[in-house]
Amino acid sequence: MAGRAGTGAAPAAIPLTTPDGAPVEVRRSARRRRTVAAFWENGTAVVAIPASFTRAQEHEWVHRMLEKLRLQGARGSRGEGRRPRNDEALASHAAELSAKYLGGRAVPSSVRWVSNQNSRWGSATPSEGTIRLSDKLQPMPQWVIDYVLLHELSHLLVAGHDAAFWRLLQAYPETERAKAFLEGVSFATSRGMAPDCAEPAT
């Protein structure tokens, strides 16, 4: 990669493949402001960065996120089964879900866990591109968390709950199951019962 005149040696080129031979794709987004995400998509290591990043920042973050993917495990597992406990992991997981089910069209500027949502599981502010998920979801099955996250990602594309909104969620196979699960939890909680949020063994 060419450097600017008078700035010294240019940084090493961004790798075209990971150490185990998988292709690497860097995606710049004008909607992404500060967050960086890395995920697997059809065998390609995708690193999503803000469009405002300089080449030096791109170089730094691509190498950093590829190392993170390497530490998460092989391509075949891609860290599946691990819950996104912190905001960085949640943002990375959101990018993966958007790519898989929404064609990558939903690009939040931030995704984070919050502890002050008592009446809803998640919320989105389309004008700002922000998503917040209640930390009460954390002990629930991953397919439930994924549904709520996809629900809020879809709100970045369609603000209301009209037919166009629900069509976006049709691609996710656990939508109806997750909705029923959350309704059951809400019913139990409203009657002072402690719902069992653990995923049953199969």
Side-chain angles (χ1 to χ4, degrees):
M1 185 179 298
R4 294 177 181 175
T7 59
I14 292 175
L16 299 178
T17 61
T18 62
D20 65 349
V24 175
E25 178 184 346
V26 180
R27 291 182 185 170
R28 287 177 171 262
S29 169
R31 292 199 62 183
R32 187 177 292 276
R33 298 171 186 171
R34 295 179 300 275
T35 59
V36 178
F39 53 93
W40 289 103
E41 180 180 313
N42 300 324
T44 297
V46 178
V47 181
I49 64 173
S52 61
F53 268 17
T54 64
R55 290 299 178 185
Q57 288 175 311
E58 176 182 343
H59 173 269
E60 174 189 353
W61 278 99
V62 167
H63 281 275
R64 184 182 298 186
M65 299 306 284
L66 289 179
E67 176 64 10
K68 178 181 176 181
L69 284 180
R70 186 189 69 79
L71 293 174
Q72 285 178 350
R75 275 179 283 168
S77 61
R78 298 193 301 276
E80 290 174 1
R82 283 205 296 274
R83 297 170 186 271
R85 294 297 187 186
N86 57 42
D87 292 349
E88 181 184 3
L90 190 63
S92 179
H93 192 56
E96 185 172 356
L97 289 175
S98 176
K100 185 173 183 179
Y101 295 106
L102 301 173
R105 291 180 294 148
V107 183
S109 59
S110 71
V111 186
R112 57 192 179 91
W113 293 107
V114 295
S115 59
N116 60 354
Q117 298 217 61
N118 298 318
S119 60
R120 46 188 179 173
W121 301 113
S123 61
T125 306
S127 62
E128 299 177 0
T130 57
I131 289 175
R132 296 158 300 281
L133 260 57
S134 170
D135 58 4
K136 294 180 178 64
L137 289 164
Q138 289 186 348
M140 297 186 188
Q142 187 59 47
W143 48 270
V144 176
I145 298 173
D146 286 359
Y147 162 72
V148 177
L149 189 49
L150 271 169
H151 187 110
E152 303 309 331
L153 284 166
S154 297
H155 274 311
L156 299 184
L157 304 175
V158 179
H161 289 101
D162 58 13
F165 172 83
W166 291 111
R167 279 196 295 270
L168 293 174
L169 287 169
Q170 286 178 353
Y172 183 58
E174 304 293 350
T175 289
E176 295 304 320
R177 183 185 177 203
K179 286 169 63 178
F181 182 99
L182 292 171
E183 287 170 1
V185 172
S186 296
F187 179 87
T189 302
S190 68
R191 281 155 179 75
M193 297 180 283
D196 181 2
C197 293
E199 185 169 6
T202 55

